[in-house]
Amino acid sequence: MEKKLNKRQEQAIETRRKLLSTSIDLIIKNGYNNVSVNKICKECSVAKGTFYLYFQSKKDIIVEILSDVNVEMFSYVWNQDAGCRERLHEYIDVYLYTIKRQGVDFTRETLKIMMDEHFNQQAVNATKHVELVEDILKRGMETGELTGNFQISDIRITLQNLFYGTMTNWCADEGKFDIEAVGGKLIKGYVDLLF
């Protein structure tokens, strides 16, 4: 039986949610470096100490956001029975769909923050990308579907670079092209060259 939250617990959850969503809005609108904890607190009408009850720093907000995005992406039900090429194509589709849904402004700020803040990959659940792609490639080699003299880490890093390059171009172009269609064609084209 699920235990019902009391009013104080509900308020705490709502305050945390409000701090998080307001932070996201402010960061997208003003840029990460132009948003202070004071500004977030002022927008939320809470004391600065309240912010620190939920987060140790402004960076923790971004860590949580990126972690949530990655958890959501990996909650997708992956087709374990498909071959290596199909599984990589599926991963590309889910990745680009997630980026498109986050939007240009959020993606732009996220890329900047990732370059400036040097996140712990485990803290933002980014190691799941490495594990999934490397698992797909290993199984592709084991089944003989992927036959070249490839280094798994080299393929994964190239895929990552293609994703980041596509995202950067999409942001620089203010989202004027469909990142799923254009990025998918580019990245899947690279994958197809491996087979």
Side-chain angles (χ1 to χ4, degrees), residues 81-93:
D81 297 327
C84 181
R85 181 191 317 225
E86 290 79 19
R87 289 187 70 205
L88 288 171
H89 280 215
E90 181 181 36
Y91 171 72
I92 293 163
D93 289 341

Side-chain angles (χ1 to χ4, degrees), residues 14 27 34 37 44 55 75 84 105 118 129 135:
E14 178 56 26
I27 289 167
N34 297 319
V37 170
C44 291
F55 304 100
S75 67
C84 181
D105 293 333
H118 309 289
H129 293 277
D135 178 63

Side-chain angles (χ1 to χ4, degrees), residues 47-194:
K48 195 172 180 180
T50 301
F51 177 91
Y52 290 109
L53 287 174
Y54 301 99
F55 304 100
Q56 291 181 6
S57 68
K58 183 175 70 167
K59 183 177 177 179
D60 284 351
I61 288 174
I62 299 303
V63 167
E64 183 158 333
I65 293 165
L66 292 176
S67 178
D68 288 350
V69 167
N70 283 320
V71 166
E72 181 182 329
M73 186 182 297
F74 286 94
S75 67
Y76 176 81
V77 179
W78 303 92
N79 183 355
Q80 300 294 326
D81 297 327
C84 181
R85 181 191 317 225
E86 290 79 19
R87 289 187 70 205
L88 288 171
H89 280 215
E90 181 181 36
Y91 171 72
I92 293 163
D93 289 341
V94 171
Y95 193 110
L96 293 174
Y97 167 78
T98 303
I99 296 304
K100 183 177 181 177
R101 215 175 98 238
Q102 297 304 317
V104 171
D105 293 333
F106 180 82
T107 301
R108 180 183 295 115
E109 285 306 312
T110 302
L111 288 169
K112 285 188 225 173
I113 294 163
M114 287 170 62
M115 286 185 271
D116 292 344
E117 295 293 335
H118 309 289
F119 288 113
N120 174 323
Q121 296 296 300
Q122 287 183 315
V124 297
N125 288 306
T127 54
K128 291 180 182 216
H129 293 277
V130 173
E131 292 164 7
L132 177 68
V133 171
E134 289 191 354
D135 178 63
I136 292 169
L137 294 169
K138 282 178 193 171
R139 290 208 306 176
M141 287 181 169
E142 290 167 3
T143 62
E145 188 179 356
L146 194 60
T147 58
N149 187 18
F150 302 112
Q151 293 294 318
I152 288 175
S153 61
D154 291 343
I155 296 171
R156 180 189 48 78
I157 290 167
T158 301
L159 282 172
Q160 182 178 347
N161 291 339
L162 288 169
F163 279 120
Y164 286 161
T166 301
M167 289 163 36
T168 301
N169 288 336
W170 184 60
C171 292
D173 200 32
E174 297 297 331
K176 290 181 183 159
F177 65 86
D178 183 340
I179 192 169
E180 287 180 283
V182 175
K185 185 177 180 181
L186 169 74
I187 301 168
K188 288 177 184 178
Y190 165 72
V191 165
D192 291 346
L193 292 173
L194 302 172

